[in-house]
Amino acid sequence: MTENGAGQPPTGGPLRGLLVADFSRILAGPYATMLLADMGAEVVKVEGPRGDDTRTWTPPEHEGVSTYYLGINRGKRSIALDLRDADDAGVARELARRADVVIENFKPGGMAKYGLDVDAVRATNPGVVYASISGFGSGAGRDVPGYDLMVQAISGLMSLTGDPEGPPYRAGISVFDVMAGNHAAIGILAALRHRDATGQGQHVEVNLLSSALTGLVNHSSAWAAAGVVPYRMGNAHPSVFPYEPLPTADNDLIITAGNDGQFRKLCEVLGIPEVADDARFARNADRTERREELRPILVERLAEHGALEWFDLLTAAGVPSGPINTIDGGFAMAERFELDPIVTVGEGERAVPTTRHPIRFSETPVGYRLPPPELDEHGVELRKWLSAPREEAQA
């Protein structure tokens, strides 16, 4: 057994041999550690006696288990520890002492009372990469609870989402939790690269608001670089046209002609090549300024066929477009493109269908070894491993 295998045989993947002590809950942290687990890291999910809150977030469910929980916790081993209990806190500290990575999303400073804050962990494990995820950072915003919906509101995203004449809307997913989880994974990998080169660990901090502001990309740049405050435009784009859903003979179709060449091809497919030569629509800036003149010309032609037929014609011509699907249609399209979007994790009665990891490696493929764990499923073996002298654990 290897030290970084948490008492288990080594696994494949580019992060083989890496031990991650996961003290995070809900979404951002567990999403990050799931990505690391897919890539071969041994992830030990530390839960309180009642388990991660998402275990109870139903409906929907799969064989009595929350699909929310299932979607972000594959590849991990679970140990239930009550950090208020001295013995359990000791087990947690020993896990942190042996880990390559510790990740937590407690309120900033909340791990200190258990002796699990970054300074305490680094005192016994100087090479550790310690990642903290919060809502608003560890400074003046440390006491503000961090929930994705709050950040969607505070960051300005909701002011950009919805009909111009209607109320602001949240995104359909917890977009900044997912974004912060990705940023945490990137930060952890970068810090591990630094440790490989220098032997030094470090503290990696990610907060949802900073992830949100960088994730607003062109809208953030509009304010930071030009002092422009953008507002919601429904499905339209402030700087490109056409770049929105347009009606066809049956359903709306997204058309994104992002440059002059794509616009010319669009006009050719629609049978109106002369429109691409019209001085009013010659450049993207012209088309954006005169979108209300151009839109009815395009819509008239699009009414001749349905969305899927236009999709095939436009794709063949190199014009970006796409039908507006429900989730099942999205998976069906991924199947059509041979992306194999659903994989099975686990075996037998524990097998669970899940979404494929988004990255493919030519030499060190990701794996789907363990189904999302039941609460404290691996508690006995992990306690035994953590109670053994380090030399025996490495044997």
Side-chain angles (χ1 to χ4, degrees):
M1 300 301 178
T2 62
E3 167 69 9
N4 287 352
Q8 297 295 323
T11 63
L15 299 183
R16 172 177 173 167
L18 196 75
L19 175 59
V20 178
D22 182 6
F23 292 90
S24 67
R25 304 156 292 176
I26 312 297
L27 180 49
Y31 182 75
T33 55
M34 179 184 72
L35 297 179
L36 300 178
D38 289 346
M39 292 186 285
E42 289 288 350
V43 177
V44 176
K45 182 177 178 66
V46 180
E47 303 184 71
R50 298 175 63 181
D52 192 311
D53 286 352
T54 59
R55 289 181 179 274
T56 64
W57 286 10
T58 58
E61 58 186 50
H62 171 79
E63 297 183 357
V65 182
S66 161
T67 57
Y68 198 122
Y69 170 80
L70 293 176
I72 50 176
N73 284 291
R74 65 175 178 247
K76 308 174 187 180
R77 292 182 169 83
S78 170
I79 182 171
L81 297 173
D82 184 350
L83 298 182
R84 297 166 298 184
D85 178 84
D87 291 338
D88 278 7
V91 172
R93 287 192 291 271
E94 178 61 17
L95 174 62
R97 186 177 72 84
R98 299 188 186 193
D100 297 288
V101 176
V102 171
I103 181 168
E104 56 90 14
N105 60 354
F106 281 62
K107 187 172 77 172
M111 295 286 273
K113 56 188 172 183
Y114 309 119
L116 288 165
D117 56 294
V118 60
D119 291 336
V121 172
R122 292 191 70 188
T124 60
N125 185 0
V128 72
V129 171
Y130 190 107
S132 298
I133 303 174
S134 64
F136 302 96
S138 56
R142 62 186 293 131
D143 293 325
V144 182
Y147 287 87
D148 185 273
L149 181 57
M150 292 171 56
V151 179
Q152 290 196 33
I154 291 171
S155 67
L157 174 66
M158 289 180 64
S159 75
L160 300 169
T161 308
D163 188 274
E165 305 303 321
Y169 278 95
R170 67 179 287 268
I173 64 165
S174 295
V175 60
F176 295 137
D177 269 330
V178 174
M179 193 176 293
N182 276 310
H183 290 160
I186 293 169
I188 287 167
L189 296 176
L192 287 169
R193 175 70 176 87
H194 173 76
R195 189 186 73 170
D196 288 345
T198 67
Q200 296 177 334
Q202 63 180 297
H203 190 193
V204 175
E205 293 187 81
V206 174
N207 69 81
L208 271 64
L209 183 56
S210 292
S211 287
L213 294 179
T214 189
L216 291 174
V217 287
N218 56 305
H219 296 299
S220 291
S221 183
W223 167 249
V228 173
V229 178
Y231 291 97
R232 57 189 174 277
M233 300 176 61
N235 289 314
H237 193 289
S239 307
V240 182
F241 185 85
Y243 196 98
E244 61 185 56
L246 295 172
T248 71
D250 48 21
N251 300 311
D252 285 357
L253 179 72
I254 296 291
I255 296 179
T256 59
N259 58 52
D260 296 343
Q262 290 174 344
F263 180 67
R264 180 169 293 279
K265 290 178 181 178
L266 169 64
C267 292
E268 291 172 354
V269 173
L270 295 182
I272 48 174
E274 69 279 2
V275 173
D277 295 320
D278 191 319
R280 295 175 298 167
F281 312 127
R283 300 172 304 154
N284 175 69
D286 302 323
R287 295 189 292 275
T288 301
E289 181 180 355
R290 297 182 175 89
R291 67 178 72 207
E292 297 308 322
E293 296 177 53
L294 179 55
R295 185 183 287 107
I297 297 173
L298 302 178
V299 168
E300 181 180 5
R301 289 292 180 158
L302 288 167
E304 296 177 1
H305 301 292
L308 288 176
E309 186 174 356
W310 281 123
F311 170 68
D312 289 333
L313 292 169
L314 292 170
T315 297
V319 180
S321 66
I324 301 176
N325 294 322
T326 50
I327 294 293
D328 55 333
F331 275 87
M333 193 69 78
E335 291 283 3
R336 170 178 169 174
F337 298 149
E338 300 179 342
L339 298 178
D340 303 323
I342 297 179
V343 296
T344 299
V345 58
E347 299 177 347
E349 295 182 354
R350 294 291 305 282
V352 177
T354 187
T355 307
R356 178 179 291 278
H357 186 92
I359 303 171
R360 297 191 186 225
F361 296 88
S362 64
E363 304 302 325
T364 53
V366 302
Y368 308 95
R369 301 167 294 119
L370 299 173
E374 297 176 357
L375 179 60
D376 202 39
E377 179 177 345
H378 308 92
V380 172
E381 64 192 74
L382 286 168
R383 287 173 184 272
K384 180 179 179 181
W385 175 68
L386 290 167
S387 66
R390 200 161 189 170
E391 295 75 17
E392 292 182 18
Q394 291 177 307

